Amino acid sequence: MKGVFITIEGVEGCGKTTQLRYLGRHLAEMGYPLETTREPGGTAIAEAVRAVLLDPAHTAMTPTAELFLYEAARAQHVSERIRPALKAGRIVLCDRFVDSTTAYQGGGRGMAWETLNQLHAIATEGLWPHLTILLDIAVEEGLQRVQGVRPRDRIEEESLAFHERVRQAFLQIASLEPERVRVVEGHHSVETVRERVTALVEEFLRSHEF
Ligand SMILES: Nc1ncnc2c1ncn2[C@@H]1O[C@H](COP(=O)(O)OP(=O)(O)OP(=O)(O)O)[C@@H](O)[C@H]1O
Ligand SMILES: [Mg+2]
């Protein structure tokens, strides 16, 4: 049996990592074979690229260099980790994936979506998430949540307007692919969001007879 590829997306601090942890625990308790991972990262090489991408010292990085680094990390991650896990029949839960690149590089930096989609296809060799949970939240609220929790990375240093464009791009992706991308309001309590995410994923797994 083929695996199921589920991604969690959204702006900084919307609750992706928190919800992925709960969802992972829940699915493992239900007995599903599971692989949890994140982007950029997920393998030694891709984590090394992540460190380059997020380093606040790298203010001189050009948008094109940034884009290729994200896609390079993704190519390694998909090939080394995600595809093998799916082939082994696991549910792969990934914290951010292609939609983040479309939202940040397309929405945030203004790069052409068509070009981005072509690069995604090269990096993933055509692999696309089966289900994506988009946690939507006001950018100020999300940024406020992560403030003080850890030092700000290079992307979090961007302006509010940048993050607002990212949020709108995520919502646009959801409206273009409503079957795949399900929007959950992220401003509710952790518990409420958890219930909604769990219900969506369980419904998806039932309907796909995994
Ligand atoms: N629904 C919620 N209500 C209030 N606080 C929350 C909620 N979900 C998460 N948090 C808190 O907000 C902070 C950011 O959450 P989390 O790390 O899960 O977000 P994220 O989307 O993974 O952020 P990033 O984009 O920076 O990786 C954490 O301190 C977390 O405990
Ligand atoms: Mg996170």
Side-chain angles (χ1 to χ4, degrees), residues 58-141:
H58 292 169
T59 51
M61 190 181 293
T62 72
T64 308
E66 178 182 79
L67 170 63
F68 276 88
L69 285 171
Y70 276 115
E71 299 290 9
R74 178 164 303 131
Q76 189 67 33
H77 187 208
V78 167
S79 164
E80 189 181 331
R81 183 123 183 244
I82 299 177
R83 273 195 193 277
L86 292 173
K87 214 170 160 193
R90 297 200 191 107
I91 296 180
V92 176
L93 294 183
C94 191
D95 194 331
R96 297 191 180 279
F97 196 61
V98 285
D99 300 315
S100 277
T101 306
T102 305
Y104 284 78
Q105 275 59 55
R109 306 243 187 263
M111 301 178 104
W113 285 35
E114 198 187 330
T115 310
L116 297 173
N117 280 326
Q118 284 168 351
L119 290 180
H120 298 337
I122 293 170
T124 65
E125 294 182 347
L127 178 70
W128 217 241
H130 299 116
L131 173 68
T132 296
I133 306 289
L134 171 58
L135 300 178
D136 181 53
I137 194 170
V139 293
E140 295 92 335
E141 193 176 345

Coordinates of all heavy atoms in Angstrom, one line a residue, residues 58-141:
H58 N 22.8 36.4 7.1 CA 22.8 36.3 5.6 C 21.8 37.3 5.0 O 21.0 37.0 4.1 CB 22.5 34.9 5.2 CG 23.6 33.9 5.5 ND1 23.4 32.6 5.4 CD2 24.8 34.2 6.0 CE1 24.6 32.0 5.8 NE2 25.4 32.9 6.2
T59 N 22.0 38.6 5.3 CA 21.1 39.6 4.8 C 21.3 39.9 3.3 O 20.5 40.4 2.6 CB 21.3 41.0 5.5 OG1 22.7 41.3 5.5 CG2 20.8 40.9 6.9
A60 N 22.5 39.5 2.8 CA 22.8 39.7 1.4 C 22.3 38.7 0.4 O 22.4 38.8 -0.8 CB 24.3 39.8 1.2
M61 N 21.6 37.6 0.9 CA 21.1 36.6 0.1 C 20.1 37.1 -0.9 O 19.1 37.7 -0.6 CB 20.5 35.5 0.9 CG 20.2 34.2 0.1 SD 19.4 32.9 1.1 CE 20.7 32.5 2.3
T62 N 20.3 36.7 -2.2 CA 19.4 37.2 -3.2 C 18.1 36.3 -3.3 O 18.2 35.1 -2.9 CB 20.0 37.2 -4.6 OG1 20.1 35.8 -5.1 CG2 21.4 37.8 -4.7
P63 N 17.0 36.8 -3.7 CA 15.8 36.0 -3.8 C 16.0 34.7 -4.6 O 15.4 33.7 -4.3 CB 14.8 37.0 -4.4 CG 15.3 38.3 -4.1 CD 16.8 38.3 -4.1
T64 N 16.8 34.8 -5.7 CA 17.0 33.7 -6.5 C 17.8 32.6 -5.8 O 17.5 31.4 -5.8 CB 17.7 34.1 -7.8 OG1 16.9 35.1 -8.4 CG2 17.7 32.9 -8.8
A65 N 18.9 33.1 -5.1 CA 19.7 32.1 -4.3 C 18.9 31.5 -3.3 O 18.9 30.3 -3.0 CB 20.9 32.9 -3.7
E66 N 18.0 32.3 -2.6 CA 17.2 31.8 -1.6 C 16.2 30.7 -2.1 O 16.1 29.6 -1.6 CB 16.4 32.9 -1.0 CG 15.4 32.5 0.1 CD 14.6 33.7 0.6 OE1 13.6 34.1 -0.1 OE2 14.9 34.3 1.6
L67 N 15.6 31.0 -3.2 CA 14.7 30.0 -3.9 C 15.4 28.7 -4.2 O 14.9 27.6 -3.9 CB 14.1 30.7 -5.1 CG 13.3 29.7 -6.0 CD1 12.1 29.2 -5.3 CD2 12.9 30.5 -7.3
F68 N 16.5 28.8 -4.8 CA 17.2 27.6 -5.2 C 17.7 26.8 -3.9 O 17.7 25.5 -4.0 CB 18.4 27.9 -6.1 CG 18.0 28.0 -7.5 CD1 17.6 29.2 -8.1 CD2 18.0 26.9 -8.4 CE1 17.1 29.3 -9.4 CE2 17.6 27.0 -9.7 CZ 17.1 28.2 -10.2
L69 N 18.0 27.5 -2.9 CA 18.4 26.7 -1.6 C 17.2 26.0 -1.1 O 17.4 24.8 -0.7 CB 19.0 27.7 -0.6 CG 20.4 28.2 -0.9 CD1 20.8 29.3 0.1 CD2 21.4 27.0 -0.8
Y70 N 16.1 26.6 -1.1 CA 14.9 25.9 -0.6 C 14.6 24.7 -1.5 O 14.3 23.6 -1.0 CB 13.6 26.8 -0.6 CG 13.5 27.7 0.6 CD1 13.6 29.1 0.5 CD2 13.3 27.2 1.9 CE1 13.5 29.9 1.6 CE2 13.1 28.0 3.0 CZ 13.3 29.3 2.9 OH 13.1 30.1 4.0
E71 N 14.7 24.9 -2.8 CA 14.4 23.7 -3.7 C 15.5 22.7 -3.6 O 15.2 21.5 -3.7 CB 14.2 24.2 -5.1 CG 13.1 25.2 -5.3 CD 11.7 24.6 -5.2 OE1 11.5 23.5 -4.8 OE2 10.7 25.4 -5.5
A72 N 16.7 23.1 -3.4 CA 17.8 22.1 -3.2 C 17.6 21.2 -2.0 O 17.7 20.0 -2.0 CB 19.2 22.8 -3.1
A73 N 17.2 21.9 -0.9 CA 16.9 21.2 0.4 C 15.8 20.2 0.2 O 15.8 19.1 0.6 CB 16.6 22.2 1.5
R74 N 14.8 20.7 -0.6 CA 13.6 19.9 -0.8 C 13.9 18.6 -1.7 O 13.4 17.5 -1.4 CB 12.5 20.7 -1.5 CG 11.2 20.0 -1.9 CD 10.1 21.0 -2.2 NE 9.9 21.8 -1.0 CZ 9.8 23.2 -1.1 NH1 9.9 23.8 -2.3 NH2 9.7 23.9 0.0
A75 N 14.7 18.8 -2.7 CA 15.1 17.7 -3.6 C 15.7 16.6 -2.8 O 15.4 15.4 -2.9 CB 16.0 18.2 -4.7
Q76 N 16.6 17.0 -1.9 CA 17.3 16.0 -1.0 C 16.3 15.3 -0.1 O 16.3 14.1 0.1 CB 18.4 16.7 -0.2 CG 19.3 15.8 0.5 CD 20.2 14.9 -0.4 OE1 20.5 15.4 -1.5 NE2 20.4 13.7 0.0
H77 N 15.5 16.1 0.5 CA 14.5 15.6 1.5 C 13.5 14.7 0.9 O 13.2 13.6 1.4 CB 13.8 16.9 2.0 CG 12.8 16.6 3.2 ND1 11.7 17.4 3.4 CD2 12.9 15.7 4.2 CE1 11.1 16.9 4.5 NE2 11.8 15.9 5.0
V78 N 13.0 15.0 -0.3 CA 12.0 14.2 -1.0 C 12.7 12.8 -1.3 O 12.1 11.7 -1.1 CB 11.4 14.8 -2.2 CG1 10.6 13.9 -3.1 CG2 10.5 16.0 -1.8
S79 N 13.8 12.9 -1.9 CA 14.5 11.7 -2.4 C 15.0 10.8 -1.3 O 14.8 9.6 -1.3 CB 15.6 12.1 -3.3 OG 16.5 11.1 -3.5
E80 N 15.6 11.4 -0.3 CA 16.2 10.6 0.8 C 15.2 10.1 1.8 O 15.4 9.1 2.5 CB 17.3 11.5 1.4 CG 18.2 10.7 2.4 CD 19.3 11.6 3.0 OE1 19.7 12.6 2.4 OE2 19.7 11.3 4.2
R81 N 14.2 10.9 2.1 CA 13.3 10.6 3.2 C 11.9 10.4 2.9 O 11.3 9.4 3.3 CB 13.5 11.8 4.2 CG 12.8 11.6 5.5 CD 13.7 11.6 6.7 NE 12.9 11.4 7.9 CZ 12.7 12.3 8.9 NH1 13.3 13.5 8.8 NH2 11.9 12.0 9.9
I82 N 11.3 11.4 2.2 CA 9.8 11.3 2.0 C 9.4 10.2 1.1 O 8.5 9.4 1.5 CB 9.3 12.7 1.5 CG1 9.6 13.8 2.5 CG2 7.8 12.6 1.3 CD1 9.1 15.2 2.1
R83 N 10.0 10.1 -0.1 CA 9.6 9.0 -1.0 C 9.8 7.6 -0.4 O 8.9 6.8 -0.5 CB 10.3 9.2 -2.3 CG 9.6 10.1 -3.3 CD 10.1 9.9 -4.7 NE 9.7 11.0 -5.6 CZ 8.5 11.0 -6.2 NH1 7.6 10.0 -6.0 NH2 8.1 12.0 -6.9
P84 N 10.9 7.4 0.2 CA 11.1 6.0 0.8 C 10.1 5.7 1.9 O 9.6 4.6 2.0 CB 12.5 6.1 1.4 CG 13.2 7.1 0.6 CD 12.2 8.1 0.3
A85 N 9.7 6.7 2.7 CA 8.7 6.5 3.7 C 7.3 6.2 3.1 O 6.6 5.4 3.6 CB 8.6 7.7 4.7
L86 N 7.0 7.0 2.1 CA 5.7 6.7 1.4 C 5.7 5.3 0.7 O 4.7 4.6 0.8 CB 5.4 7.8 0.3 CG 5.2 9.2 0.9 CD1 5.1 10.2 -0.2 CD2 3.9 9.2 1.7
K87 N 6.8 5.0 0.2 CA 6.9 3.7 -0.5 C 6.8 2.5 0.6 O 6.2 1.5 0.3 CB 8.3 3.6 -1.1 CG 8.3 2.7 -2.4 CD 9.6 2.9 -3.1 CE 9.7 1.7 -4.1 NZ 11.1 1.6 -4.6
A88 N 7.2 2.8 1.8 CA 7.1 1.8 2.9 C 5.7 1.8 3.5 O 5.4 1.1 4.4 CB 8.1 2.1 3.9
G89 N 4.8 2.7 2.9 CA 3.4 2.7 3.3 C 3.1 3.6 4.5 O 2.1 3.5 5.2
R90 N 4.0 4.5 4.9 CA 3.8 5.3 6.1 C 3.0 6.6 5.7 O 2.9 7.0 4.6 CB 5.1 5.8 6.6 CG 6.0 4.7 7.1 CD 7.0 5.1 8.1 NE 8.0 4.0 8.3 CZ 9.2 3.9 7.8 NH1 9.7 5.0 7.1 NH2 9.9 2.9 7.9
I91 N 2.4 7.2 6.8 CA 1.9 8.5 6.7 C 3.1 9.4 7.0 O 3.7 9.3 8.0 CB 0.8 8.8 7.8 CG1 -0.4 7.9 7.5 CG2 0.4 10.2 7.7 CD1 -1.5 8.1 8.6
V92 N 3.3 10.3 6.1 CA 4.4 11.3 6.2 C 3.7 12.6 6.6 O 2.9 13.2 5.9 CB 5.2 11.5 5.0 CG1 6.3 12.6 5.2 CG2 5.9 10.2 4.6
L93 N 4.1 13.2 7.8 CA 3.6 14.5 8.3 C 4.8 15.4 8.1 O 5.8 15.3 8.7 CB 3.2 14.4 9.7 CG 2.1 13.6 10.2 CD1 1.8 13.8 11.7 CD2 0.8 14.0 9.4
C94 N 4.6 16.5 7.3 CA 5.7 17.4 7.1 C 5.3 18.9 7.4 O 4.2 19.4 7.0 CB 6.1 17.3 5.6 SG 7.6 18.2 5.3
D95 N 6.1 19.5 8.3 CA 5.9 20.8 8.8 C 6.5 21.8 7.7 O 7.7 21.9 7.5 CB 6.8 21.0 10.1 CG 6.5 22.2 10.9 OD1 6.1 23.2 10.3 OD2 6.7 22.1 12.1
R96 N 5.6 22.4 6.9 CA 5.9 23.2 5.7 C 6.3 22.3 4.5 O 7.0 21.3 4.7 CB 7.0 24.2 5.9 CG 6.7 25.3 6.9 CD 7.7 26.4 6.8 NE 7.5 27.5 7.8 CZ 6.7 28.5 7.6 NH1 6.0 28.6 6.5 NH2 6.6 29.5 8.4
F97 N 6.0 22.7 3.3 CA 6.5 22.1 2.1 C 6.4 23.1 0.9 O 6.6 24.3 1.1 CB 5.6 20.8 1.8 CG 6.2 19.8 0.9 CD1 7.5 19.2 1.1 CD2 5.6 19.5 -0.3 CE1 8.1 18.3 0.2 CE2 6.1 18.6 -1.2 CZ 7.4 18.0 -1.0
V98 N 6.0 22.6 -0.3 CA 6.0 23.5 -1.5 C 5.2 24.7 -1.3 O 5.5 25.8 -1.8 CB 5.5 22.8 -2.8 CG1 6.6 21.8 -3.3 CG2 4.2 22.0 -2.5
D99 N 4.1 24.6 -0.6 CA 3.2 25.8 -0.5 C 3.9 27.0 0.2 O 3.6 28.1 0.0 CB 1.9 25.5 0.2 CG 1.1 24.4 -0.5 OD1 1.0 24.5 -1.7 OD2 0.7 23.4 0.1
S100 N 4.8 26.6 1.2 CA 5.5 27.7 1.8 C 6.4 28.4 0.8 O 6.5 29.7 0.9 CB 6.4 27.1 3.0 OG 5.6 27.0 4.2
T101 N 7.0 27.7 -0.1 CA 7.9 28.4 -1.1 C 7.0 29.3 -2.0 O 7.4 30.4 -2.3 CB 8.7 27.3 -1.9 OG1 9.4 26.5 -1.0 CG2 9.7 28.0 -2.8
T102 N 5.9 28.7 -2.4 CA 5.0 29.6 -3.2 C 4.5 30.8 -2.5 O 4.5 31.9 -3.0 CB 3.7 28.7 -3.7 OG1 4.2 27.5 -4.3 CG2 2.8 29.5 -4.6
A103 N 4.2 30.6 -1.2 CA 3.7 31.8 -0.4 C 4.8 32.8 -0.1 O 4.6 34.0 -0.3 CB 3.1 31.3 0.9
Y104 N 6.0 32.3 0.3 CA 7.0 33.3 0.7 C 7.8 33.8 -0.5 O 8.0 35.0 -0.6 CB 8.1 32.6 1.6 CG 7.5 32.4 3.0 CD1 6.6 31.4 3.4 CD2 7.9 33.3 4.1 CE1 6.1 31.3 4.6 CE2 7.4 33.2 5.4 CZ 6.5 32.1 5.6 OH 6.0 32.0 6.9
Q105 N 8.1 33.0 -1.4 CA 8.9 33.5 -2.6 C 7.9 34.1 -3.6 O 8.3 35.1 -4.3 CB 9.7 32.3 -3.2 CG 11.1 32.1 -2.6 CD 11.0 31.7 -1.1 OE1 10.3 30.8 -0.7 NE2 11.7 32.5 -0.3
G106 N 6.7 33.5 -3.8 CA 5.8 34.0 -4.7 C 5.0 35.2 -4.1 O 5.1 36.4 -4.6
G107 N 4.3 35.0 -3.0 CA 3.6 36.1 -2.3 C 4.5 37.1 -1.7 O 4.4 38.3 -2.0
G108 N 5.4 36.6 -0.9 CA 6.3 37.6 -0.2 C 7.3 38.3 -1.1 O 7.4 39.5 -1.0
R109 N 8.0 37.6 -2.0 CA 9.0 38.2 -2.8 C 8.6 38.6 -4.2 O 9.4 39.1 -4.9 CB 10.3 37.3 -2.9 CG 10.8 36.8 -1.5 CD 12.2 37.3 -1.3 NE 12.8 36.7 -0.1 CZ 12.8 37.3 1.1 NH1 12.3 38.5 1.3 NH2 13.4 36.7 2.2
G110 N 7.4 38.1 -4.6 CA 6.9 38.5 -5.9 C 7.4 37.7 -7.0 O 7.3 38.2 -8.2
M111 N 7.9 36.5 -6.8 CA 8.3 35.7 -8.0 C 7.1 35.1 -8.6 O 6.1 34.8 -8.0 CB 9.3 34.7 -7.5 CG 10.5 35.3 -6.8 SD 11.7 34.1 -6.1 CE 13.0 34.3 -7.4
A112 N 7.3 34.8 -9.9 CA 6.2 34.2 -10.7 C 5.8 32.8 -10.2 O 6.7 31.9 -10.1 CB 6.6 34.2 -12.2
W113 N 4.5 32.6 -10.0 CA 4.0 31.3 -9.5 C 4.3 30.2 -10.5 O 4.5 29.1 -10.1 CB 2.5 31.4 -9.2 CG 2.2 32.2 -7.9 CD1 2.9 33.3 -7.4 CD2 1.2 31.9 -7.0 NE1 2.4 33.7 -6.3 CE2 1.3 32.9 -5.9 CE3 0.2 30.9 -6.9 CZ2 0.5 32.9 -4.8 CZ3 -0.7 31.0 -5.8 CH2 -0.5 31.9 -4.8
E114 N 4.2 30.5 -11.8 CA 4.4 29.5 -12.8 C 5.8 28.9 -12.7 O 6.0 27.7 -12.8 CB 4.1 30.1 -14.1 CG 3.9 29.1 -15.2 CD 3.8 29.7 -16.6 OE1 3.4 30.9 -16.7 OE2 4.2 29.1 -17.6
T115 N 6.8 29.9 -12.5 CA 8.2 29.4 -12.4 C 8.3 28.6 -11.1 O 9.0 27.6 -11.1 CB 9.1 30.7 -12.3 OG1 8.8 31.6 -13.3 CG2 10.5 30.3 -12.3
L116 N 7.7 29.1 -10.1 CA 7.9 28.3 -8.8 C 7.3 26.9 -8.9 O 7.9 26.0 -8.5 CB 7.1 29.1 -7.7 CG 7.7 30.5 -7.3 CD1 6.8 31.2 -6.3 CD2 9.1 30.4 -6.8
N117 N 6.2 26.8 -9.6 CA 5.6 25.5 -9.7 C 6.4 24.6 -10.6 O 6.5 23.4 -10.3 CB 4.2 25.6 -10.3 CG 3.1 26.0 -9.3 OD1 3.3 25.6 -8.1 ND2 2.2 26.8 -9.7
Q118 N 7.1 25.2 -11.6 CA 8.0 24.3 -12.4 C 9.2 23.8 -11.5 O 9.6 22.7 -11.6 CB 8.6 25.1 -13.5 CG 7.5 25.3 -14.7 CD 7.9 26.3 -15.7 OE1 8.9 27.1 -15.5 NE2 7.1 26.4 -16.8
L119 N 9.7 24.7 -10.7 CA 10.8 24.3 -9.8 C 10.4 23.3 -8.8 O 11.1 22.4 -8.4 CB 11.5 25.5 -9.1 CG 12.2 26.5 -10.1 CD1 12.8 27.6 -9.3 CD2 13.3 25.7 -10.8
H120 N 9.2 23.5 -8.2 CA 8.7 22.5 -7.3 C 8.6 21.1 -7.9 O 9.0 20.1 -7.3 CB 7.2 22.8 -6.8 CG 7.1 24.1 -6.1 ND1 8.1 24.7 -5.5 CD2 6.0 24.9 -5.9 CE1 7.6 25.9 -4.9 NE2 6.3 26.0 -5.2
A121 N 8.2 21.1 -9.2 CA 8.0 19.8 -9.9 C 9.4 19.1 -10.1 O 9.5 17.9 -10.0 CB 7.3 20.0 -11.2
I122 N 10.4 20.0 -10.3 CA 11.7 19.4 -10.5 C 12.3 18.9 -9.2 O 12.7 17.8 -9.1 CB 12.7 20.5 -11.1 CG1 12.3 20.8 -12.5 CG2 14.2 20.0 -11.1 CD1 13.1 22.0 -13.1
A123 N 12.1 19.7 -8.1 CA 12.6 19.3 -6.8 C 12.0 18.1 -6.3 O 12.6 17.2 -5.6 CB 12.5 20.5 -5.8
T124 N 10.7 18.0 -6.5 CA 9.9 16.8 -5.9 C 9.7 15.7 -6.9 O 9.2 14.7 -6.5 CB 8.5 17.3 -5.5 OG1 7.8 17.6 -6.7 CG2 8.5 18.5 -4.5
E125 N 10.2 15.8 -8.1 CA 9.9 14.9 -9.2 C 8.4 14.6 -9.2 O 8.0 13.4 -9.3 CB 10.8 13.6 -9.0 CG 12.3 13.9 -9.2 CD 13.2 12.7 -9.0 OE1 12.7 11.6 -8.6 OE2 14.3 12.8 -9.4
G126 N 7.7 15.6 -9.0 CA 6.2 15.5 -9.2 C 5.4 15.1 -8.0 O 4.2 14.9 -8.1
L127 N 6.1 14.9 -6.9 CA 5.4 14.5 -5.7 C 4.6 15.7 -5.1 O 5.2 16.8 -4.9 CB 6.3 14.0 -4.6 CG 5.7 13.6 -3.3 CD1 4.8 12.3 -3.4 CD2 6.7 13.4 -2.2
W128 N 3.3 15.5 -4.8 CA 2.5 16.6 -4.3 C 1.8 16.1 -3.0 O 1.5 14.9 -3.0 CB 1.5 17.0 -5.4 CG 1.2 18.5 -5.4 CD1 -0.1 19.0 -5.2 CD2 2.0 19.5 -5.7 NE1 0.0 20.4 -5.3 CE2 1.3 20.7 -5.7 CE3 3.4 19.6 -6.0 CZ2 1.8 22.0 -5.9 CZ3 3.9 20.9 -6.2 CH2 3.2 22.0 -6.2
P129 N 1.6 16.9 -2.0 CA 0.9 16.4 -0.8 C -0.5 15.9 -1.2 O -1.2 16.5 -2.0 CB 0.8 17.7 0.1 CG 1.8 18.6 -0.4 CD 1.9 18.4 -1.9
H130 N -1.0 14.9 -0.5 CA -2.3 14.4 -0.6 C -3.3 15.3 0.1 O -4.4 15.5 -0.3 CB -2.5 13.0 -0.1 CG -1.6 12.0 -0.8 ND1 -0.6 11.3 -0.2 CD2 -1.5 11.7 -2.2 CE1 0.1 10.6 -1.1 NE2 -0.5 10.8 -2.3
L131 N -2.8 15.8 1.3 CA -3.7 16.7 2.1 C -2.8 17.7 2.7 O -1.7 17.4 3.2 CB -4.4 15.9 3.2 CG -5.1 16.7 4.3 CD1 -6.4 17.3 3.7 CD2 -5.5 15.8 5.4
T132 N -3.3 19.0 2.7 CA -2.5 20.1 3.4 C -3.4 20.8 4.3 O -4.6 21.2 3.9 CB -2.0 21.0 2.3 OG1 -1.0 20.3 1.5 CG2 -1.3 22.2 2.9
I133 N -3.0 20.9 5.5 CA -3.7 21.7 6.5 C -3.1 23.1 6.5 O -1.9 23.2 6.9 CB -3.6 21.1 7.9 CG1 -4.1 19.6 7.9 CG2 -4.4 22.0 8.9 CD1 -5.5 19.4 7.7
L134 N -3.9 24.1 6.2 CA -3.4 25.5 6.3 C -4.0 26.1 7.6 O -5.2 26.3 7.7 CB -3.9 26.3 5.1 CG -3.6 27.8 5.1 CD1 -2.1 28.1 5.3 CD2 -4.1 28.5 3.8
L135 N -3.1 26.5 8.5 CA -3.5 27.1 9.7 C -3.5 28.6 9.4 O -2.4 29.2 9.2 CB -2.6 26.8 10.9 CG -2.6 25.3 11.3 CD1 -1.6 25.0 12.4 CD2 -4.0 24.8 11.6
D136 N -4.6 29.3 9.4 CA -4.7 30.7 9.0 C -4.8 31.6 10.3 O -5.7 31.3 11.1 CB -5.9 30.9 8.1 CG -5.9 32.4 7.7 OD1 -4.9 32.9 7.2 OD2 -7.0 33.0 7.8
I137 N -4.0 32.6 10.4 CA -4.0 33.5 11.5 C -3.6 34.9 11.1 O -2.8 35.0 10.1 CB -3.1 32.9 12.6 CG1 -3.4 33.6 14.0 CG2 -1.7 33.0 12.3 CD1 -2.7 32.9 15.2
A138 N -4.0 35.9 11.8 CA -3.5 37.2 11.6 C -2.0 37.2 11.8 O -1.5 36.7 12.8 CB -4.2 38.2 12.5
V139 N -1.2 37.9 10.9 CA 0.2 37.8 11.0 C 0.8 38.3 12.3 O 1.7 37.8 12.9 CB 0.9 38.4 9.8 CG1 0.6 37.6 8.5 CG2 0.6 39.8 9.6
E140 N 0.1 39.4 12.8 CA 0.6 40.0 14.0 C 0.5 39.0 15.2 O 1.4 38.9 16.0 CB -0.2 41.3 14.4 CG -0.1 42.4 13.4 CD -1.1 42.4 12.3 OE1 -1.7 41.3 12.0 OE2 -1.4 43.5 11.8
E141 N -0.6 38.3 15.2 CA -0.8 37.4 16.3 C 0.2 36.2 16.2 O 0.7 35.8 17.3 CB -2.3 36.8 16.2 CG -2.7 36.1 17.5 CD -4.1 35.6 17.5 OE1 -4.9 36.1 16.6 OE2 -4.4 34.8 18.3

